[in-house]
């Protein structure tokens, strides 16, 4: 603990607390309010699930209530439809954190998430043929 | 709910349906996983932040570690765009066994896996081979031919690993893009055959 424990507000330098021994106490999951699992919808976002913006999103008033990380993710989704893995890599956030944040955005109706088609249920062989030809042409 | 609606429009509508396929690259420590993913795709590190207690559930060497602390695991992550709406995603799994829990997440719904092997220490890839065999995930074994390691042929490796008949073994140079592409092509071909066979099984 800091020597200054007089019960005053955290210093301006803070907003974050540091412990010389343990390093930053603000763990990655702090930005999710400590939640490590997505909300009640209980969606498990696959790493390659694609996230698209909902075409009927909540209004600007609701959007202004979003935290900075939520907004960053939303902006990324607006720029381009991307997979959960890409969103995490670009935002430089751990996958687990991004899953929780996306769960919030999904529940609030800002985004939609596609569930990847399992390979065994691919519509036909043409797709794999296309992949093979595409790889050859790389 | 919107999620359901979206989810219930499967591969039918070609304009709005993007397909993403997942391929894993596994193998022992330092066998060339990062090199391979980097050779065939633009690569970037992907961070996962995991509770150590979760990771430690199946191993006993985390005794005494603060159960609340998290550990960062970095994976190699690459994307190959085949065309608009069809992409291949590559994930290089961490080598250490204590990250099994990550594999479960990664392997769900995967098209298949590449198990990289080094003939100088073939046993390092046993866990990966076991893992994919048990979960019936199609995989190919890619023998990374480090200098002077070309002493064994694909057949020897297949026998040494006691692979099921049909499991492809490919000799490769993980640093070489064309070689890496060939490995992926062999895997996709094989995965296609496996899925077709399984489909016929369930039908007939
Ligand atoms: N000579 C030779 N060296 C290689 C080859 N593939 C990889 N290397 C080298 O071997 C070392 C390890 O390769 P990596 O790609 O980092 O291996 P990795 O499997 O990602 O390793 P970990 O993530 O630590 O498990 C690097 O120094 C590579 O440059 C190869 O085909 N031939
Ligand atoms: Mg590596």
């Amino acid at each position: 603990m800091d020597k200054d424990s007089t019960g005053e507000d955290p210093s301006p330098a803070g907003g974050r607390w540091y412990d010389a021994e343990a390093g930053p106490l603000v763990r990655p999951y702090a930005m999710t309010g400590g939640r490590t699992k997505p909300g009640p919808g209980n969606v498990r976002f696959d790493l390659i699930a694609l996230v698209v913006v909902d075409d009927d999103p909540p209004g600007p008033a609701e959007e202004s209530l979003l935290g900075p990380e939520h907004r960053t993710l939303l902006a990324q989704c607006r720029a381009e439809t991307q997979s959960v893995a890409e969103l995490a890599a670009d935002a430089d956030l751990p996958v687990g954190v991004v899953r929780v944040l996306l769960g919030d955005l999904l529940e609030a109706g800002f985004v939609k998430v596609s569930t990847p088609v399992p390979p065994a249920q691919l519509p036909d062989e043409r797709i794999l043929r296309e992949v093979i030809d595409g790889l050859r042409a790389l | 709910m919107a999620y359901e609606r979206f989810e219930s429009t499967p591969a039918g509508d070609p304009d709005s349906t993007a397909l993403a396929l997942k391929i894993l690259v596994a193998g022992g420590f330092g066998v060339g996983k990062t090199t391979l993913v980097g050779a065939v795709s633009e690569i970037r590190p992907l961070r996962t932040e995991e509770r150590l207690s979760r990771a430690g559930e199946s191993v006993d060497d985390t005794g005494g570690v603060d159960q609340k602390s998290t550990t960062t695991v970095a994976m190699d992550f690459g994307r190959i765009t085949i065309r608009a709406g069809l992409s291949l995603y590559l994930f290089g799994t961490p080598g250490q066994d204590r990250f099994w829990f990550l594999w479960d997440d990664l392997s769900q719904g995967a098209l298949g896996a590449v198990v990289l092997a080094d003939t100088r220490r073939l046993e390092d890839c046993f866990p990966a081979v076991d893992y994919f065999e048990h979960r019936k995930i199609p995989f190919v074994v890619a023998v990374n031919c480090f200098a002077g390691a070309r002493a064994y042929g694909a057949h020897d490796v297949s026998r040494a690993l006691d692979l099921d008949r049909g499991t492809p073994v490919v000799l490769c140079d993980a640093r070489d893009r064309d070689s890496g592409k060939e490995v992926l092509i062999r895997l996709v071909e094989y995965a296609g055959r496996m899925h077709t066979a399984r489909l016929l099984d369930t039908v007939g």
Side-chain angles (χ1 to χ4, degrees):
Chain A
M1 251 287 168
D2 232 276
K3 54 184 181 294
D4 179 14
S5 50
T6 51
E8 267 191 53
D9 279 351
S11 66
R16 289 166 189 249
W17 300 274
Y18 290 90
D19 178 315
E21 304 270 289
L25 292 181
V26 181
R27 297 293 183 196
Y29 285 100
M31 65 181 72
T32 68
R35 292 166 302 146
T36 58
K37 297 242 167 59
N42 212 13
V43 195
R44 178 72 176 154
F45 298 106
D46 195 283
L47 279 170
I48 60 167
L50 299 171
V51 185
V52 295
V53 288
D54 197 301
D55 40 28
D56 185 22
E62 276 171 77
E63 190 171 329
S64 67
L65 297 174
L66 292 175
E69 290 86 10
H70 286 106
R71 281 189 221 199
T72 306
L73 275 179
L74 194 52
Q76 286 175 257
C77 298
R78 281 183 178 142
E80 193 192 344
T81 295
Q82 293 180 83
S83 63
V84 171
E86 283 166 301
L87 290 169
D90 283 354
D92 197 24
L93 290 173
V95 175
V97 171
V98 166
R99 281 180 164 141
V100 176
L101 297 173
L102 284 175
D104 296 340
L105 290 176
L106 177 70
E107 263 159 44
F110 286 101
V111 299
K112 293 190 283 189
V113 179
S114 77
T115 306
V117 181
Q121 284 166 34
L122 283 180
D124 57 60
E125 277 173 51
R126 242 187 358 220
I127 303 274
L128 294 184
R129 194 25 68 196
E130 249 190 288
V131 172
I132 291 166
D133 293 344
L135 282 171
R136 286 228 163 82
L138 273 188
Chain B
M1 167 178 159
Y3 177 64
E4 310 265 55
R5 225 172 36 236
F6 187 76
E7 198 188 17
S8 67
T9 50
D13 180 2
D15 288 340
S16 67
T17 310
L19 271 179
L21 295 170
K22 180 160 59 176
I23 288 178
L24 314 188
V25 178
F29 189 72
V31 75
K33 300 179 293 292
T34 304
T35 307
L36 177 69
V37 177
V40 294
S41 67
E42 210 172 283
I43 188 171
R44 33 190 175 167
L46 182 64
R47 264 195 306 145
T48 65
E49 202 81 37
E50 297 290 343
R51 306 285 292 263
L52 264 187
S53 50
R54 244 183 96 196
E57 266 161 21
S58 53
V59 290
D60 46 23
D61 62 355
T62 50
V65 174
D66 176 8
Q67 293 294 293
K68 281 193 206 108
S69 63
T70 58
T71 183
T72 300
V73 190
M75 287 185 287
D76 306 312
F77 167 52
R79 172 181 178 168
I80 298 174
T81 306
I82 303 293
R83 60 159 163 82
L86 180 57
S87 299
L88 218 53
Y89 293 88
L90 304 178
F91 293 93
T93 62
Q96 296 108 304
D97 296 351
R98 67 196 190 94
F99 297 128
W100 281 123
F101 63 95
L102 270 182
W103 288 44
D104 291 339
D105 187 14
L106 284 167
S107 61
Q108 203 163 34
L111 175 67
V114 174
V115 175
L116 269 174
D118 178 349
T119 51
R120 294 168 301 182
R121 40 197 181 95
L122 210 50
E123 64 281 2
D124 286 7
C125 76
F126 289 176
V129 167
D130 277 347
Y131 185 92
F132 296 122
E133 270 183 357
H134 278 119
R135 283 162 186 77
K136 306 235 184 304
I137 294 169
F139 67 95
V140 300
V141 174
V143 180
N144 195 9
C145 296
F146 288 89
R150 214 174 258 278
Y152 303 86
H155 193 67
D156 301 320
V157 173
S158 181
R159 266 222 306 251
L161 291 175
D162 192 22
L163 297 177
D164 289 341
R165 278 186 55 197
T167 303
V169 177
V170 197
L171 303 181
C172 78
D173 182 334
R175 298 162 301 178
D176 183 75
R177 186 173 165 86
D178 283 331
S179 182
K181 273 161 53 176
E182 191 55 38
V183 171
L184 294 181
I185 289 169
R186 290 290 294 276
L187 173 63
V188 177
E189 287 173 343
Y190 180 59
R193 286 200 297 277
M194 292 280 282
H195 289 309
T196 309
R198 228 170 278 159
L199 225 58
L200 291 177
D201 259 8
T202 54
V203 169

